[in-house]
């Protein structure tokens, strides 16, 4: 066969010479005009070609290949006998072309080579064959394409009319949507005490509330619009976190982060885990999130220590001296620790002390700091030692940090996380130069609030979480804190307290209010009420903000002693929903 890209020429084969496969050009006299093969003239000085014809007069070797005549391999020269056809010749001759050479010599080049039309016949067959092959291929391709386009995944992807997912009707006409948020307004008609009393007076007498005390304030003017026992102290339960969070936002840098460090111990091969208050450290591998979004990972700490020590660690000790005093609060029930909502208050642990880092309601560890030490030791290939206190200038081998304080505040409020409430209270105590304990945190919280103009008269705190039933606060203290956070003024105190509002759960939407406001009588408050809940045995509180139907922000604090948990909470939801629906003029 000729090399790719070259024209197929007839081969010239010399008698007695080996066939090299080299192709020789055809004399210009050779051409295909009408489909009838013409004789090829021999070059000047060469013997005439010896042509072989079949017994019926048809010229041998005259089939066409690619539209060009193909010789059967007859020799140029004096030898009248043609050699056997070469294997390299394209289109071998038919059986009729194998007879003896014509003794009459070469025919007249001007005569036809055989019966009329014989060359057309030999040329037509390959052409018809090629046409049939091409048509067959086209039919197969069309069938394949049709089957492919009929497949549901393909037709759905291309949106073809017969696709299973094709629309069964015309698309709906687009509706006009106003993409805009309305700001809270302080310029409209202000609500009045009589208007608020008319809206919620009857709801506040619901017997499911037990004894109710409360306060409603307009933060734009500072006016108290409604009050019932507002100056009488009551148990705030988890609304204690509103006061502790406010103190933390006022006393601490919002970007402050809490550390967990590993330092070199006093003996070779010993390291010390030093708790700095980060109780959110994640036990999960890097790239996986626990319930505390953005928490540091224990694996990062292990990698740092391994790099710093070359893996030469055989004992892990604990330093928990960052916190002092008892690890449980006054008035806490024995079953509170460990439980699904609280563990011992220690300055170092994994996942808030929970047994499942992805389940906020999983059971807590009985000794979360020791669990952290054990987990760290296993990952670094060491054993757990005892507790110690390291010097301030100890060599730091590894260090990771919590999320910033304002994020810790947000999570403590949205999920009512008791442990974070205690951590924030202790950080306020440290900032105020007091002991990082229950008593130090409670004392520092009230001092910071009072220094910033908040009336805390009569308030008594024993913890930062609100688990203690011994805590006492007036509703007016809660509404004052919230009114400062929601004030239209942009003074320093209000600016620092703004994250408090972001942390309040949304009615029917997030946190501890996600499953509330489901009744028809309270549905008006869904999405418009934000509030911090508080629940103990015989105690139900709700303190937050609501945007009225006329765009006015009101703050409220409601504290009840209802005995039926569900009924008392539903009654509180109805009151705040009524505030949403009224202009209260």
């Amino acid at each position: 066969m000729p090399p790719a890209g070259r024209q197929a020429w007839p081969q010239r084969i010399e008698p007695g010479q080996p066939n090299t496969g080299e192709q020789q050009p055809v004399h210009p006299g050779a051409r295909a005009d009408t489909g009838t093969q013409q004789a090829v003239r021999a070059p000047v000085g060469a013997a005439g070609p010896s042509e072989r014809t079949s017994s019926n007069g048809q010229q041998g070797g005259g089939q066409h290949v690619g539209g060009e005549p193909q010789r059967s391999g007859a020799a140029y020269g004096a030898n009248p006998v043609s050699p056997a056809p070469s294997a390299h010749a394209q289109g071998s001759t038919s059986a009729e072309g194998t007879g003896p050479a014509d003794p009459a010599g070469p025919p007249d080049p001007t005569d036809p080579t055989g019966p009329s039309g014989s060359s057309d016949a030999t040329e037509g067959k390959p052409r018809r064959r090629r046409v049939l092959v091409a048509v067959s291929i086209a039919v197969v391709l069309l069938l394949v394409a049709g089957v492919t386009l009929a497949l549901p995944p393909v037709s759905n992807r291309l949106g073809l009319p017969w696709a299973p997912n094709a629309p069964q009707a015309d698309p709906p006409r687009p509706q006009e949507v106003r993409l805009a948020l309305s700001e809270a307004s302080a310029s409209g008609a202000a609500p009045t005490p009589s208007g608020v009393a008319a809206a919620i007076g009857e709801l506040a007498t619901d017997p499911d509330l037990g004894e109710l005390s409360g306060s409603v304030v307009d933060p734009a003017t500072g006016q108290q619009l409604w009050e019932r026992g507002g100056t009488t102290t009551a148990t705030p339960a988890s609304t204690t976190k509103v006061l502790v969070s406010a103190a933390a936002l006022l006393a601490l840098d919002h970007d402050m982060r809490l550390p967990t460090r590993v330092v070199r111990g006093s003996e070779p091969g010993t390291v010390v885990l030093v708790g700095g208050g980060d109780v959110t450290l994640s036990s999960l591998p890097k790239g996986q999130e626990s319930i505390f979004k953005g928490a540091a990972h224990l694996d990062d700490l292990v990698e740092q220590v391994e790099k710093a020590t070359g893996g030469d660690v055989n004992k892990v000790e604990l330093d928990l001296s960052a916190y002092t005093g008892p690890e449980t609060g006054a008035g806490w029930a024995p079953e509170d620790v460990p439980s699904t909502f609280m563990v011992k208050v220690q300055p170092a642990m994994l996942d808030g002390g929970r047994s499942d880092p992805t389940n906020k309601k999983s059971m807590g560890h009985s000794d979360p700091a020791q669990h952290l030490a054990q987990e760290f030791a296993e990952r670094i290939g060491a054993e757990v030692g005892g507790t110690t206190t390291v010097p301030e200038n100890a060599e730091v081998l590894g260090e990771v940090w919590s999320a910033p304080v304002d994020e810790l505040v947000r999570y403590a409020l949205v999920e009512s996380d008791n442990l974070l409430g205690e951590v924030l209270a202790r950080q306020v105590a440290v900032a105020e130069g007091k002991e990082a304990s229950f008593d130090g945190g409670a004392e520092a919280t009230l001092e910071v609030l009072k220094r910033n103009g908040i009336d805390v008269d009569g308030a008594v705190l024993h913890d930062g979480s609100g688990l203690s039933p011994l805590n006492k606060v007036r509703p007016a203290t809660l509404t004052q804190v919230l009114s400062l956070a929601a004030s239209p003024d942009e003074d320093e105190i209000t600016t620092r307290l703004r994250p408090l509002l972001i942390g309040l759960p949304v009615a029917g939407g997030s946190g501890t209010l996600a499953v509330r406001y489901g009744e028809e009588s309270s549905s008006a408050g869904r999405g418009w009420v934000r509030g911090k809940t508080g629940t103990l045995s015989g105690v139900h509180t709700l303190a937050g903000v609501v945007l009225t139907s006329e765009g006015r922000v009101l703050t409220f604090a409601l504290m009840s002693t209802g005995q039926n948990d569900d009924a008392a909470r539903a009654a509180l939801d109805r009151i705040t929903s009524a505030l949403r629906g009224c202009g209260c003029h």
Side-chain angles (χ1 to χ4, degrees):
M1 297 291 292
R6 294 186 58 183
Q7 187 178 17
W9 292 338
Q11 288 185 323
R12 174 181 176 182
I13 302 175
E14 297 290 346
Q17 296 297 325
N19 183 5
T20 63
E22 292 295 327
Q23 296 178 342
Q24 302 299 327
V26 178
H27 189 274
R31 59 188 179 92
D33 294 334
T34 63
T36 302
Q37 183 174 357
Q38 302 296 326
V40 179
R41 293 185 181 275
V44 178
S50 174
E51 297 293 346
R52 306 180 65 181
T53 58
S54 63
S55 58
N56 61 6
Q58 183 178 358
Q59 180 181 347
Q63 293 192 12
H64 288 213
V65 178
E68 294 289 340
Q70 180 80 11
R71 279 201 166 269
S72 65
Y76 286 91
N79 191 342
V81 180
S82 299
S86 169
H88 294 276
Q90 301 296 319
S92 60
T93 59
S94 64
E96 290 84 359
T98 57
D102 186 354
D108 189 333
T110 62
D111 291 340
T113 59
S116 176
S118 62
S119 180
D120 289 339
T122 57
E123 180 188 46
K125 292 180 181 179
R127 285 185 175 177
R128 285 195 297 273
R129 187 180 302 114
R130 286 197 297 271
V131 170
L132 288 175
V133 171
V135 170
S136 299
I137 292 175
V139 170
V140 171
L141 291 177
L142 287 174
L143 287 174
V144 171
V147 171
T148 302
L149 293 176
L151 295 174
V154 177
S155 58
N156 285 334
R157 186 69 178 269
L158 298 178
L160 299 176
W162 55 83
N165 292 346
Q168 302 302 310
D170 293 335
R173 297 180 61 184
Q175 302 294 317
E176 183 179 357
V177 178
R178 297 183 60 188
L179 299 177
L181 295 176
S182 299
E183 295 182 358
S185 173
S187 60
T192 64
S194 60
V196 173
I200 68 173
E202 184 176 349
L203 295 172
T205 64
D206 192 323
D208 288 333
L209 293 169
E211 184 178 346
L212 175 69
S213 58
S215 172
V216 178
V217 174
D218 181 354
T221 62
Q223 181 183 13
Q224 184 161 263
L225 300 174
W226 182 85
E227 180 183 21
R228 173 174 291 185
T231 59
T232 303
T233 61
T235 302
S238 277
T239 54
T240 300
K241 297 182 182 72
V242 171
L243 304 181
V244 171
S245 296
L249 293 172
L250 291 169
L252 306 176
D253 187 335
H254 291 192
D255 291 330
M256 175 183 174
R257 299 170 185 262
L258 309 181
T260 301
R261 296 187 177 96
V262 176
V263 302
R264 195 176 298 278
S266 58
E267 300 177 358
T270 299
V271 298
V272 182
L273 260 170
V274 182
D278 181 13
V279 299
T280 68
L281 183 63
S282 175
S283 63
L284 295 174
K286 289 185 291 185
Q288 297 184 27
E289 292 277 13
S290 70
I291 58 174
F292 301 108
K293 306 302 182 186
H297 288 264
L298 179 62
D299 280 348
D300 282 334
L301 193 59
V302 171
E303 289 179 8
Q304 293 178 41
V305 175
E306 286 180 335
K307 183 177 180 180
T309 63
D312 184 20
V313 178
N314 53 51
K315 185 165 66 174
V316 177
E317 297 179 331
L318 272 174
D319 183 349
L320 304 177
S321 61
Y323 290 172
T324 62
E327 294 179 327
T328 59
W332 288 11
E335 61 269 20
D336 287 344
V337 177
S339 65
T340 59
F341 53 85
M342 195 53 177
V343 294
K344 292 179 180 178
V345 183
Q346 298 171 326
M349 64 184 71
L350 290 170
D351 309 310
R354 293 167 174 82
S355 56
D356 183 350
T358 61
N359 182 2
K360 61 189 174 185
K361 294 184 179 180
S362 60
M363 178 60 69
H365 292 287
S366 59
D367 192 341
Q370 189 69 20
H371 171 257
L372 165 62
Q374 183 66 46
E375 188 70 22
F376 179 81
E378 289 180 3
R379 297 189 189 191
I380 207 166
E383 62 180 15
V384 179
T387 59
T388 186
T389 301
V390 299
E392 292 184 0
N393 61 350
E395 179 188 357
V396 177
L397 304 175
E399 185 176 48
V400 291
W401 300 84
S402 72
V405 162
D406 56 358
E407 280 296 307
L408 299 181
V409 165
R410 186 197 64 78
Y411 191 87
L413 292 173
V414 170
E415 301 297 344
S416 196
D417 192 283
N418 293 310
L419 184 60
L420 281 179
E422 301 298 346
V423 168
L424 292 171
R426 280 161 176 73
Q427 292 305 135
V428 174
V430 172
E432 293 294 299
K434 302 183 183 299
E435 289 186 353
S437 63
F438 283 103
D439 290 342
E443 184 180 351
T445 294
L446 295 178
E447 286 186 4
V448 169
L449 295 177
K450 185 176 181 178
R451 187 169 66 239
N452 286 275
I454 297 166
D455 185 358
V456 294
D457 286 351
V460 177
L461 297 180
H462 291 275
D463 64 16
S465 61
L467 281 175
S468 176
L470 304 178
N471 293 343
K472 301 295 178 181
V473 176
R474 296 185 304 153
T477 300
L478 293 170
T479 53
Q480 187 180 7
V481 170
L482 293 166
S483 293
L484 285 172
S487 171
D489 297 334
E490 295 294 338
D491 59 28
E492 182 179 357
I493 294 177
T494 293
T495 300
R496 295 192 68 83
L497 289 177
R498 286 286 195 225
L500 196 67
L501 303 181
I502 299 174
L504 295 176
V506 177
S510 64
T512 54
L513 287 182
V515 297
R516 291 174 58 169
Y517 291 79
E519 297 180 358
E520 184 178 356
S521 57
S522 61
S523 61
R526 291 176 65 87
W528 301 106
V529 175
R530 301 188 72 142
K532 180 69 197 78
T533 59
T535 302
L536 290 173
S537 180
V539 173
H540 301 281
T541 62
L542 185 61
V545 299
V546 57
L547 186 69
T548 72
S549 58
E550 294 189 357
R552 194 86 171 197
V553 173
L554 301 179
T555 63
F556 60 85
L558 304 171
M559 311 175 76
S560 79
T561 60
Q563 297 301 305
N564 185 307
D565 293 351
D566 291 338
R569 286 194 287 261
L572 295 175
D573 296 348
R574 288 192 288 271
I575 294 175
T576 53
S577 294
L579 289 174
R580 157 63 188 168
C582 81
C584 299
H585 302 314

